[in-house]
Amino acid sequence: MDEVAGAIADPVRRQILLMLRAAPLSAGQIADRFAISRPAVSRHLRVLREAGLVRDTADGRRRVYELVTAPLDELAGWLTRLTRPAGWQHHFDALETEVHRTRRERQAAAGHRPSDPAQPAHSSNPSNPSNPSHASHASPASHKETA
């Protein structure tokens, strides 16, 4: 992974990799796209080859280079781990999500309960005359008085 990271650290080498993403190219075709010398491009190609990021094949007197992306997988995995929340942060994020979910559930349940703090509560005491649900349970004496 260190060799791959070192190889892609140079902007010229990154540009070469992008060029090879589209199609294999000869060393001469690559060198023609840069304002640097052919030996300098050749050195960049050697670094990329040693890191396993390019493969070269002989085509007559030309060397044709093609992109190899497999060595980037380990580096990509490491970068993903680096950008994800670390250990406890992940747990704190999950806890925060659970707290918000529980609050929403409680608020939704409170909206359906008759004992909303904004509304006057009815007592469960049968002798409370303001509670109409318990009027039928009044004592027989109270029925006689109204009759």
Side-chain angles (χ1 to χ4, degrees):
M1 182 173 68
D2 293 340
E3 199 170 10
V4 170
I8 64 172
D10 187 277
V12 170
R13 291 192 285 267
R14 288 194 304 269
Q15 189 62 40
I16 292 171
L17 293 174
L18 289 172
M19 283 187 252
L20 294 174
R21 186 178 77 177
L25 298 170
S26 70
Q29 291 171 311
I30 294 169
D32 289 343
R33 298 182 185 191
F34 289 100
I36 59 176
S37 69
R38 285 183 182 256
V41 170
S42 181
R43 286 191 293 275
H44 285 296
L45 288 168
R46 182 175 37 89
V47 170
L48 291 171
R49 189 177 59 246
E50 289 172 355
L53 293 168
V54 297
R55 168 179 338 152
D56 66 327
T57 55
D59 182 19
R61 294 180 48 204
R62 301 180 330 148
R63 303 295 301 166
V64 177
Y65 290 85
E66 65 180 296
L67 178 65
V68 179
T69 59
L72 294 169
D73 293 341
E74 184 181 1
L75 181 59
W78 183 83
L79 289 171
T80 300
R81 286 194 326 260
L82 181 65
T83 57
R84 258 192 254 145
W88 281 105
Q89 185 60 44
H90 175 70
H91 294 293
F92 288 140
D93 290 345
L95 176 61
E96 181 180 24
T97 300
E98 185 63 22
V99 167
H100 287 295
R101 185 189 61 77
T102 302
R103 281 185 189 156
R104 279 193 311 272
E105 286 176 357
R106 285 183 181 170
Q107 289 171 352
H112 295 96
R113 269 193 242 137
S115 61
D116 186 356
Q119 300 293 326
H122 296 293
S123 169
S124 62
N125 183 351
S127 63
N128 182 351
S130 67
N131 189 344
S133 67
H134 295 291
S136 64
H137 299 293
S139 69
S142 64
H143 282 295
K144 287 181 186 176
E145 292 173 11
T146 59

